[in-house]
Amino acid sequence: MKLLMLPGDGIGPEISDASRKVLDAAQAQFGFPLEYEEDEIGFSSLERYGTTIRDDLIATAMAVDGVILGPVSHNEYPPIEEGGLNPSGVFRKQLDLYANIRPAKSRSGIATPTGRPMDLVIVRENTEGFYADRTMVTGTGEFMPTEDLAMAIRKVTKKGSRRIVEQAFALAARRRQKVTTVHKANVLRVSDGLFLEQARAVASSHPSIEYEEELVDAMAAHLIRSPDRFDVIVTTNMFGDILSDEASELSGGLGLAASLNAGTDYAVAQAQHGSAPDIAGKGIANPVSLILSVAMLLDWLGARRADERLNHAARIIEQAVDATLEDPSARTPDLGGNGSTDKFAAETARRVTDLRP
Ligand code: IPM
Ligand code: MG
């Protein structure tokens, strides 16, 4: 099994290194085959190749079993014509990674802003919506007809809606049997109307799963008031982008939030947060988000390859992270601890080794 490692910008190299230490410990314990291929993405790729993501890297990503994508400073890149492509968008579109699975789970020992525990997953559509790089065959979904008028197109398809809702129901069936569809069909009657219609159709074929709908603005409030009310939340791309940051912050911090971009054939593990250039190189970045994203990738690969060792390793990595988080001397400063990236990784790797039954 081969994984492509793309450390990315800012704190990317540090947290990628930390994730690799944990993954190596899991590999040693569970004995699954594992090889890495490392390559460049983001600013280092821009300097060397004139683009933040090369075309042939997509071909490499398709040839390996999974990708670990470090955070990128996309907002600081030059315009597309000067090589500043958004690597997240390129992967999501080119590999058809339509499901962005984003858990937000409170962890023992980590305070939550609401004081309430939560354990939910946002299933975010990843290939259409309000993302201008994902709407058109040529050109972009954002344009300026005149100097003083900017417009943006939002794309919602029947197929795209249906497949993301199906993912949400499949996930809920393995969890607490509840799906909440988030939309804004009171205003976007046609586009979110189509999304909702597909959601209802999928819901009707899963009568044993509880189903509800919420408007996105109300949802932003419900998440704060009663985050423990939700199990699986399914929504369109931009709403999912925003709500997933809110949910992860409510679960204890953006640094804890894992995410997997998955399609039918490919999967990319990617932390939910950005590249945090202000703390890059200081050795204090919280690696939890990427470590847990890598665990999600192992879980996905385990199901795909029918290799139980990978699913088991994923569970043990999560338990090891939880146990390490309970130790304030291992936690990174964003979580009120005085640990370092390396220490957190080493402690988690040690626990992966110790925890294995
Ligand atoms: C995310 C990020 C990306 C997005 C950015 C980096 C383009 O915020 O993965 O949530 O908006 O999708
Ligand atoms: Mg985001």
Side-chain angles (χ1 to χ4, degrees):
M1 187 173 87
K2 196 189 246 184
L3 299 181
L4 174 64
M5 271 278 199
L6 303 167
D9 300 316
I11 57 171
E14 295 156 74
I15 62 171
S16 300
D17 214 51
S19 304
R20 189 161 167 165
K21 282 192 186 113
V22 175
L23 199 45
D24 284 344
Q27 194 274 333
Q29 281 305 303
F30 291 88
F32 50 83
L34 180 62
E35 271 178 79
Y36 300 100
E37 182 167 337
E38 192 164 321
D39 213 317
E40 283 177 302
I41 200 162
F43 277 120
S44 67
S45 171
L46 185 68
E47 256 169 52
R48 194 188 295 244
Y49 305 107
T51 173
T52 50
I53 176 164
R54 310 187 311 276
D55 283 345
D56 65 283
L57 205 53
I58 298 300
T60 307
M62 287 174 161
V64 296
D65 297 284
V67 179
I68 300 172
L69 176 62
V72 289
S73 304
H74 162 229
N75 220 14
E76 321 300 321
Y77 292 169
I80 294 178
E81 310 78 63
E82 291 163 36
L85 289 124
N86 165 16
S88 314
V90 172
F91 274 117
R92 292 172 191 177
K93 193 168 146 183
Q94 304 276 338
L95 304 187
D96 198 25
L97 307 171
Y98 65 89
N100 192 339
I101 315 285
R102 301 192 143 182
K105 185 178 178 191
S106 48
R107 309 270 165 188
S108 135
I110 308 287
T112 66
T114 61
R116 299 173 82 125
M118 62 191 279
D119 178 7
L120 59 81
V121 181
I122 295 183
V123 175
R124 163 190 178 192
E125 204 292 323
N126 224 5
T127 50
E128 40 190 59
F130 246 134
Y131 278 66
D133 60 347
R134 269 152 263 190
T135 44
M136 313 288 263
V137 167
T138 39
T140 119
E142 259 193 317
F143 46 89
M144 289 188 85
T146 61
E147 284 290 323
D148 55 1
L149 171 64
M151 304 190 79
I153 289 181
R154 176 167 179 266
K155 172 180 168 189
V156 176
T157 68
K158 208 166 171 174
K159 177 183 163 209
S161 305
R162 192 162 194 112
R163 65 182 182 173
I164 195 65
V165 179
E166 273 165 359
Q167 282 294 315
F169 274 86
L171 184 60
R174 302 197 300 274
R175 290 177 46 95
R176 300 194 312 275
Q177 319 279 323
K178 181 174 174 186
V179 171
T180 307
T181 296
V182 174
H183 65 96
K184 190 72 184 172
N186 55 342
V187 173
L188 298 164
R189 286 180 186 273
V190 177
S191 51
D192 265 4
L194 182 63
F195 182 71
L196 214 47
E197 179 191 288
Q198 291 308 304
R200 288 174 186 168
V202 176
S204 68
S205 61
H206 292 85
S208 62
I209 293 185
E210 189 188 341
Y211 177 72
E212 64 179 14
E213 294 164 357
E214 291 290 354
L215 291 164
V216 64
D217 48 349
M219 188 65 187
H222 290 315
L223 274 176
I224 292 171
R225 186 185 286 258
S226 44
D228 41 353
R229 213 187 96 188
F230 303 101
D231 178 18
V232 175
I233 295 164
V234 63
T235 191
T236 49
N237 203 345
M238 188 75 79
F239 295 161
D241 178 41
I242 298 166
L243 291 177
S244 58
D245 273 24
E246 183 189 349
S248 59
E249 202 53 40
L250 290 171
S251 76
L254 201 46
L256 297 173
S259 103
L260 186 74
N261 299 281
T264 312
D265 299 317
Y266 309 106
V268 173
Q270 182 183 20
Q272 248 186 71
H273 56 71
S275 59
D278 52 323
I279 55 160
K282 295 188 176 159
I284 54 165
N286 183 354
V288 170
S289 178
L290 193 60
I291 294 172
L292 291 178
S293 304
V294 169
M296 289 180 76
L297 177 61
L298 288 184
D299 199 43
W300 185 86
L301 282 164
R304 188 177 165 76
R305 301 164 66 97
D307 186 343
E308 251 300 313
R309 291 174 299 184
L310 298 169
N311 306 99
H312 197 178
R315 286 194 297 277
I316 293 292
I317 290 175
E318 186 170 0
Q319 284 172 28
V321 165
D322 275 335
T324 309
L325 279 173
E326 284 185 29
D327 171 6
S329 75
R331 276 185 228 146
T332 46
D334 57 306
L335 297 174
N338 46 19
S340 65
T341 313
D342 279 351
K343 178 167 183 190
F344 193 94
E347 293 281 297
T348 305
R350 178 182 61 74
R351 288 191 167 94
V352 166
T353 310
D354 293 350
L355 273 170
R356 200 214 160 179

